[in-house]
Amino acid sequence: VQLQASGGGLVQTGGSLRLSCAPSGQTFSTYIVAWFRQALGKEREFVAGIGGYTRYTDSVKGRFTISRDNAKSTVYLQMNSVKPEDTAVYYCAARRSGALHITTGAYDYWGQGTLVTVSS
């Protein structure tokens, strides 16, 4: 499965951005899908995931929303009230089944990353 992540860009503090993740060539309505991010000089970290439920890292709770549109075979990450510390390359990842893990090693498929820059 090849994943295409898109929607990144430059946004001001307090603004909004929506990231999209879609597979090429197939649907993934039953997959577990997660967003990770990696800031410059830091390790890749879990941001949000969706399976039979959703899960968020504490720093984005109440600001970010992960959702999926099975008709479009797309998973979204709506980012509201963004902060400079949200600046990172955002990656979507997927696994066929199982639990909604927060570790990178649990995911088999990765997108290429999309850069989000939040200006202060």
Side-chain angles (χ1 to χ4, degrees), residues 27-100:
T27 62
F28 67 169
S29 60
T30 61
Y31 283 46
I32 309 298
V33 181
W35 286 95
F36 288 78
R37 66 186 179 187
Q38 188 167 18
L40 193 62
K42 295 187 177 181
E43 293 187 352
R44 194 169 299 188
E45 65 172 356
F46 174 84
V47 177
I50 188 166
Y53 58 97
T54 57
R55 186 173 183 178
Y56 300 89
T57 193
D58 287 346
S59 63
V60 308
K61 284 180 181 177
R63 300 189 299 121
F64 291 9
T65 302
I66 189 170
S67 63
R68 71 194 313 158
D69 183 338
N70 288 333
K72 296 182 178 180
S73 194
T74 301
V75 170
Y76 301 101
L77 183 68
Q78 179 67 43
M79 305 169 60
N80 297 331
S81 303
V82 295
K83 305 175 181 179
E85 50 264 43
D86 294 321
T87 294
V89 176
Y90 284 70
Y91 298 88
C92 64
R95 52 183 282 145
R96 290 183 184 274
S97 62
L100 205 171

Side-chain angles (χ1 to χ4, degrees), residues 11 20 25 29 56 62-63 65 75 86 88 93 101 103 106 113 115 117 120:
V11 61
S20 300
S29 60
Y56 300 89
R63 300 189 299 121
T65 302
V75 170
D86 294 321
H101 290 282
T103 55
L115 177 62
T117 303
S120 57

